[in-house]
Amino acid sequence: MKAVVYQEPFSVEISEVADPRIEHPNDVLVRVTSTAICGSDLHMYEGRTAAEPGIVFGHENMGIIEDIGSGVTSLLRGDRVVMPFNVACGFCRNCMEGNTAFCLTVNPGFAGGAYGYVAMGPYTGGQAEYLRVPFADFNCLKLPANGEHETDFVLLADIFPTGYHGCELAQVSPGDSVAVYGAGPVGLMAAYSALLRGASRVFVVDRVPERLTKATEIGAIPVDFSRGDPVELIKDQTEGAGADKGVDAVGYQAQVADASREEPATVLNSLIESVRPTGRLGVPGLYVPSDPGGPTENARHGMLSVEIGRMFEKGQVMGTGQCNVKRYNRQLRDLIIAERAKPSFVVSHELSLWEAPGAYTKFDQRVEGYTKVVLHP
C-alpha cells in the first residue's frame, strides 16, 4: 500500500510499504478514509525525537472496516469507525481505571502506545491506505454510516479530546475565565472545549494571525504575545487577579515573543503567572524526557527551569499527561451528531494522501493559512 514515510528531518515521502494483515483474533483492518497531520507529527518531522527513517506517520485515523479477526464480537465489515491515537488493551489496571493513554499491555516496558509514533510501540501509522487496529472491540468507536461529519469525526482521534482533556485537567467549570496558551489545533480545541463547558471568558495566546482569527471566530479573546506581555494583558482583563484556570497547549518547543529562540519553560511560567492563586493548570502540551534539538543541555534531557516556587506560593494545582481519548470520544461524538459541536472549524485544508509531503512543509512553516490538514487516502 501507499503510506507517508519519514525519511530524515524535514522530509517525508509517499512510499510503498507492506499491506497490514490480521495478526491476532482481536484485530480489524480499516480502509482509511481520513487521517490528519498533527503538531505532534512535526516533532518527529523536524528531527526533535529519536524517530528513525522508515516510520509510517499518522495517529489520527478513521475509516471503514474491511476485515475482522475471528475474536472480534462488536464490529462488522463495513462499519465506519474512528480510533483513538492511544492503542490500548482495555483490561490492564490503567485501562480499567480509564487511563487508556497509559496502557500497560500494548508497549511492554512503557506505559502507553500509539499509532505511527516513535517509542510508542510497533503500530504502523494511518497516513496510509489501510491500518491494522489491535484490540479492536475496545479501540474502535462506531460512527453513523451516512458519511456525514467526516472532518468532525476524524478529530475525535486526538485533538478534540485532547483539547477537552486540557480543560478536564484544569477542571474548567461554568463561569470560569480561562487562559489558553497556543492557538494551534489543540489550543483551539481547548478554547472551544472551555466554551462548551460554560467558561465565561477564554483568552487565547498566540502570535500567528490566522490562528488568532479562528480563536476570535469561536468567541474567544485573542492575545497576541508579540505585541505585549500576555500575563499583563490577561491580568488587565481580570481585575488584576488572573484567570481562574489555564491550559498549556504549546509544549516543549515554546518560543520567546519575537520567535528568535526557543525557551521551553516560558509557557509554563507564563501560565503560572496568568492564573490566579489556587487556580488550576492543565498541560496537554507535549513535554519529553529527551529532545535532541533542545536549546540547552538540560532541555535536551527534559529538565526545564519551571518556577515551581512561584506555583507553590500561589497554591496552584497542575495536571499533565497525554489524553485518555476513550474517556471523552463517545460523548464528544454525540455532541457532533446532535450538532452541538463542530470541531472541523479548525481544519484549513483537505488534501489527498499524495499531497502529504508538501502539506508537511507548509504546516511546519505555518504558511498559507495551514492550521490543520486532513488527508484522504
Side-chain angles (χ1 to χ4, degrees):
M1 67 175 181
K2 301 288 188 181
V4 177
V5 179
Y6 175 62
Q7 303 297 316
E8 61 183 2
F10 302 100
S11 176
V12 296
E13 293 181 0
I14 305 299
S15 302
E16 290 275 358
V17 301
D19 290 338
R21 58 184 178 83
I22 298 291
E23 299 179 14
H24 186 277
N26 290 330
D27 289 351
V28 299
L29 296 183
V30 171
R31 174 173 56 83
V32 179
T33 58
S34 291
T35 179
I37 300 176
C38 182
S40 296
D41 292 324
L42 295 184
H43 300 310
M44 293 188 292
Y45 175 76
E46 295 171 353
R48 297 295 294 270
T49 70
E52 296 287 341
I55 290 179
V56 176
F57 283 172
H59 57 267
E60 299 181 72
N61 310 307
M62 68 174 286
I64 308 297
I65 294 178
E66 293 270 305
D67 197 8
I68 61 174
S70 60
V72 175
T73 60
S74 65
L75 302 166
L76 298 171
R77 290 178 179 86
D79 281 347
R80 186 185 186 209
V81 293
V82 63
M83 284 66 65
F85 76 89
N86 324 114
V87 180
C89 70
F91 54 76
C92 72
R93 175 175 178 170
N94 283 348
C95 284
M96 292 181 70
E97 292 177 350
N99 297 314
T100 55
F102 305 92
C103 177
L104 300 171
T105 302
V106 297
N107 190 11
F110 190 86
Y115 302 99
Y117 211 86
V118 60
M120 297 300 283
Y123 306 102
T124 300
Q127 288 173 16
E129 294 177 291
Y130 294 91
L131 178 72
R132 179 179 76 92
V133 180
F135 302 103
D137 285 307
F138 186 71
N139 286 307
C140 289
L141 177 68
K142 288 197 279 190
L143 303 168
N146 57 19
E148 294 181 349
H149 303 297
E150 182 84 6
T151 53
D152 293 306
F153 287 145
V154 71
L155 303 184
L156 291 172
D158 184 352
I159 67 165
F160 192 13
T162 294
Y164 196 91
H165 181 59
C167 293
E168 184 74 8
L169 291 170
Q171 295 188 4
V172 173
S173 300
D176 280 344
S177 58
V178 184
V180 177
Y181 276 75
V186 170
L188 289 170
M189 289 294 97
Y192 190 55
S193 297
L195 293 166
L196 286 173
R197 291 167 69 106
S200 59
R201 289 176 295 170
V202 179
F203 305 97
V204 178
V205 181
D206 207 293
R207 59 179 174 81
V208 179
E210 293 90 348
R211 293 176 167 186
L212 292 171
T213 297
K214 283 188 177 288
T216 302
E217 289 171 353
I218 62 171
I221 301 166
V223 177
D224 186 343
F225 73 87
S226 70
R227 298 189 176 186
D229 181 358
V231 173
E232 295 306 316
L233 291 169
I234 291 168
K235 285 186 174 181
D236 286 346
Q237 297 184 67
T238 54
E239 299 179 344
D244 298 309
K245 309 289 171 60
V247 177
D248 171 3
V250 178
Y252 73 106
Q253 287 185 264
Q255 297 179 336
V256 296
D258 64 1
S260 61
R261 70 180 192 282
E262 287 187 7
E263 194 171 302
T266 189
V267 166
L268 287 172
N269 290 330
S270 293
L271 198 63
I272 290 167
E273 290 301 326
S274 298
V275 172
R276 65 173 174 82
T278 72
R280 300 186 70 97
L281 316 176
V283 185
L286 179 65
Y287 289 88
V288 294
S290 177
D291 171 17
T296 66
E297 183 62 26
N298 278 343
R300 287 190 281 275
H301 295 280
M303 295 182 286
L304 309 182
S305 299
V306 178
E307 295 178 5
I308 189 67
R310 181 65 170 146
M311 183 181 168
F312 181 92
E313 182 180 67
K314 297 181 76 171
Q316 295 169 333
V317 175
M318 179 186 291
T320 70
Q322 289 191 340
C323 174
N324 305 300
V325 173
K326 285 280 294 185
R327 187 176 291 180
Y328 313 112
N329 65 352
R330 189 176 303 276
Q331 300 95 315
L332 297 179
R333 176 202 64 185
D334 292 346
L335 283 176
I336 292 169
I337 293 170
E339 299 188 350
R340 296 285 302 278
K342 192 168 182 60
S344 60
F345 77 86
V346 76
V347 175
S348 60
H349 293 76
E350 293 185 64
L351 305 172
S352 73
L353 184 71
W354 329 117
E355 297 174 276
Y360 264 92
T361 298
K362 292 175 181 178
F363 184 35
D364 184 57
Q365 295 175 358
R366 277 61 165 177
V367 299
E368 298 179 21
Y370 273 68
T371 54
K372 183 66 176 177
V373 180
V374 175
L375 303 172
H376 301 294

